[in-house]
Structures are given as structure tokens and as C-alpha cells.
Amino acid sequence: MQSLQEKASEWSGVETDHAFAIDDTNLFQKLGIQTFINLSTNFYNRVYDDEEEWFRSIFAKSDKEKAIQNQYEFLVQRMGGPSLYSQTRGHPALIARHRPFPVTHEAAKRWLCHMQQALDNTSDIDQDSKIMLINFFSHTAYFLVAGVEQKNQSLHPCKDAPGRHPCKNF
Amino acid sequence: MQSLQEKASEWSGVETDHAFAIDDTNLFQKLGIQTFINLSTNFYNRVYDDEEEWFRSIFAKSDKEKAIQNQYEFLVQRMGGPSLYSQTRGHPALIARHRPFPVTHEAAKRWLCHMQQALDNTSDIDQDSKIMLINFFSHTAYFLVAGVEQKNQSLHPCKDAPGRHPCKNF
């Protein structure tokens, strides 16, 4: 599993200690639940309206409202708030839960592109928090690419090596 | 993934809200880091000394000291303390990290048997905390059985249905 961390750092350009700088402060206390609800709403509004059908289709089977709730409940829990996610769904088990989806390098880049825009367009997120969050999201996205790739090795070989800035190529 | 939760509850006899009652209090603050170090040391001393070769062999490739550290760092983080685990190893990703191991119903039962004994033989764990911890461990153990089973479906079909009390049949 160590190699997943290494891949996540290499592909995202974010070292593990930077990715988990979110744990040095309590972003839930700092930002409050409504900010996370707004962020996830903003994010999924973009995702479900994406002009790229290949990306939009990844989420097509999921209800948007449910996706928003899943995400903000996870984020609230992960960022130091109450365990809203685990109370109903248990362990995040991030790799296992993403396994049904084509979590490719391209998908991670586009996911991060939307998240960066959502962060930039959600009020009340200060610059420091924004950096901590995007570092966490970037590292996590590629951690999932590496994890899901490992599980589906023979099914989805992804050999391209994307750069750090997700929006550049879109 | 919902079925993993359902399986975990059914097989462990612990409902999700009881399993995650650990989140209603801060067990790290209540018990302190040394208690978790002691618990994990106590647990792995039992595991590595297990008379059952099939069970001992699951852990044979891992260094005992490292296993102890991995576990108490995860527990400290999960029980409300500093994110010792993620700072070096990232997301717990519990199912993915257990996938290389034969996490069968029998293994879960025996793991829980040792953990119950470790809990009973670690000082400074009050009865309430003990119940919260064993509920969390029981649910999590069978969550992993269900998760790993799903991943390895064609490799390790496990059809037996164990009861609630892990030590009974050993």
C-alpha cells in the first residue's frame, strides 16, 4: 500500500504531510457545516452540468442530491466535525467505494478542475483553507486513481502521467 | 456498498449506530495514547503467539512492532486523537488495505476473540469504553469480511454464518 501513497504524491505533486495538513487545524470549526454544504452543492452542480458526456456519465446513475449529501457528510466528518457519514454509512473505505467507477487520471483531473472552481466560487473559504483543501483533494484523487487501478489492473490500464494543475488541459 | 453495512450489522450483531457510538465521545481524550499503545501491544502479543498456525500465518509477513504501531496510530486517529496514521500512511482505506489478507469469517472471529481478551487485560479501560470499542471492532471486522469477500468473490467464497460472540467457538 505504501506505493499508493507514493503514486498519489507523485501524480498530484502534493506530499502526504501537505495533503494531511487538514488535520493540523479543525476546518469544520473554522468554516462551519453550511460552507461544506455549499461547496458540495456548487461542486455537483458543475459535475452534473459538465459538457463532457464521458465525465458526466460517471455520475449518471447517482442522484445528485444524494451525491451532495454523501460528499458534505464525508467532508464534515473528515474535517473535524461530527461523524455524519459513518453514522449511516460506516467506514469511508474510499478505495472500495470508488471501485465501481472509472477513476482514471483524466477523471481525477476533471474532478479536481470542478472542485477548484467550486472552492473559488464558494464564499467564506479563506485562502489558507482553500489551499489545504485542494491539497487534500488532489492527493486523495490520485490515491484513488492508484487504488482503483491496482484493483482493476487487468481491466483499466492507465499509463498516462498527468501534471499537477488539473484545469490546464481542459 | 450499503449491503456491506448490512452484512456487517447482521454478522456482528451490532447495528451501525452502536458501532459508531465511538464518535459520540472522544475515547482518545478519555483513555490517552498510552492505553491504545498498551491495547495494541497486548493484542498483537496474543496474535503472534496464537497456537493456531492458520491464524498466526496471516500476520507472519508483517513485523510485530510495525503492526502494533500501525494499529495504535489508526486507533488514536479514529478515536478522536491526532492523525498519526494519515500523516505517514494517508487514508485508512480499510477494505483495500486488508485485501491481501484472508479476512474470512473465522479470521474475524479469532481476531475479535484476541481483541476482547486484550481489552479485558489492558488496565484503565472502563466498562463503557470497552463496550463501545468491542462494538466498533466487531462491526468493522465483519465489514472487512464483507468488503474483502466482495473484492475476491471468485477466490474466497465464504458461506458460513458466525454468531455474535467471537470466543464461544474457540
Side-chain angles (χ1 to χ4, degrees):
Chain A
M1 282 292 281
Q2 188 54 34
S3 63
L4 292 188
Q5 283 303 100
E6 288 164 0
K7 283 182 185 175
S9 292
E10 185 188 330
W11 293 341
S12 67
V14 179
E15 293 299 323
T16 305
D17 55 346
H18 288 151
F20 292 94
I22 53 154
D23 292 319
D24 297 339
T25 183
N26 188 315
L27 286 177
F28 171 76
Q29 280 176 3
K30 194 173 175 188
L31 302 175
I33 190 167
Q34 192 57 50
T35 301
F36 287 104
I37 295 173
N38 294 347
L39 176 65
S40 294
T41 304
N42 201 322
F43 171 73
Y44 277 113
N45 281 344
R46 291 167 194 279
V47 165
Y48 279 78
D49 280 346
D50 194 318
E51 62 193 16
E52 293 284 347
E53 199 276 336
W54 69 268
F55 187 75
R56 217 173 50 238
S57 72
I58 297 172
F59 305 85
K61 283 187 189 162
S62 311
D63 176 66
K64 185 165 90 168
E65 297 309 312
K66 191 75 191 151
I68 291 167
Q69 189 182 356
N70 273 347
Q71 191 188 69
Y72 83 70
E73 290 192 352
F74 169 73
L75 289 177
V76 162
Q77 173 168 327
R78 189 60 191 83
M79 300 302 155
S83 296
L84 302 180
Y85 188 90
S86 289
Q87 286 298 334
T88 54
R89 271 150 287 161
H91 301 283
L94 285 182
I95 292 174
R97 291 191 201 260
H98 283 82
R99 194 175 178 244
F101 305 105
V103 188
T104 61
H105 288 277
E106 290 81 1
K109 278 169 79 173
R110 200 157 185 91
W111 192 102
L112 287 167
C113 179
H114 287 301
M115 183 51 83
Q116 181 68 64
Q117 289 180 5
L119 283 165
D120 289 340
N121 289 281
T122 301
S123 54
D124 301 324
I125 307 185
D126 61 284
Q127 191 59 21
D128 279 359
S129 300
K130 207 183 281 183
I131 289 169
M132 279 190 279
L133 285 166
I134 200 66
N135 279 343
F136 172 78
F137 285 131
S138 300
H139 191 272
T140 302
Y142 288 104
F143 177 80
L144 292 177
V145 172
V148 173
E149 190 175 285
Q150 192 177 63
K151 302 276 160 299
N152 298 327
Q153 237 155 17
S154 56
L155 299 174
H156 305 292
C158 300
K159 298 208 184 308
D160 49 330
R164 168 74 186 285
H165 304 292
C167 294
K168 243 185 208 164
N169 306 325
F170 284 101
Chain B
M1 282 290 283
Q2 189 54 34
S3 63
L4 292 187
Q5 282 305 98
E6 289 164 1
K7 284 182 185 175
S9 292
E10 184 188 332
W11 294 342
S12 68
V14 180
E15 293 300 323
T16 305
D17 56 344
H18 287 152
F20 292 95
I22 53 154
D23 292 320
D24 298 338
T25 183
N26 188 316
L27 286 177
F28 170 75
Q29 279 176 4
K30 193 173 178 189
L31 302 176
I33 189 168
Q34 191 58 49
T35 301
F36 288 104
I37 295 174
N38 294 348
L39 177 64
S40 295
T41 303
N42 201 322
F43 171 73
Y44 276 113
N45 280 343
R46 291 167 194 278
V47 166
Y48 279 77
D49 280 346
D50 193 318
E51 63 194 15
E52 292 285 348
E53 199 276 334
W54 69 267
F55 187 75
R56 218 171 51 236
S57 71
I58 297 172
F59 304 85
K61 284 187 186 162
S62 310
D63 175 67
K64 185 165 91 168
E65 296 309 312
K66 190 74 192 152
I68 291 168
Q69 189 182 356
N70 273 347
Q71 190 188 71
Y72 83 71
E73 289 192 352
F74 169 74
L75 289 177
V76 163
Q77 172 169 327
R78 188 64 191 81
M79 300 303 155
S83 297
L84 302 180
Y85 188 89
S86 289
Q87 287 298 333
T88 54
R89 270 149 290 163
H91 301 283
L94 284 182
I95 292 174
R97 291 191 201 261
H98 284 83
R99 193 174 179 244
F101 305 105
V103 187
T104 61
H105 288 275
E106 290 81 1
K109 277 170 79 172
R110 199 157 185 91
W111 191 102
L112 287 166
C113 179
H114 287 301
M115 183 52 83
Q116 182 67 64
Q117 290 181 3
L119 284 164
D120 288 340
N121 287 280
T122 301
S123 53
D124 301 324
I125 306 184
D126 60 284
Q127 191 59 20
D128 280 357
S129 301
K130 207 183 281 183
I131 289 168
M132 279 191 276
L133 285 166
I134 201 66
N135 279 344
F136 172 79
F137 284 131
S138 299
H139 191 272
T140 301
Y142 288 104
F143 177 80
L144 292 178
V145 171
V148 173
E149 190 175 286
Q150 193 176 62
K151 302 274 160 301
N152 298 327
Q153 236 155 16
S154 55
L155 299 173
H156 306 290
C158 301
K159 299 210 186 304
D160 48 328
R164 169 73 187 286
H165 303 293
C167 293
K168 242 185 209 166
N169 305 326
F170 285 100

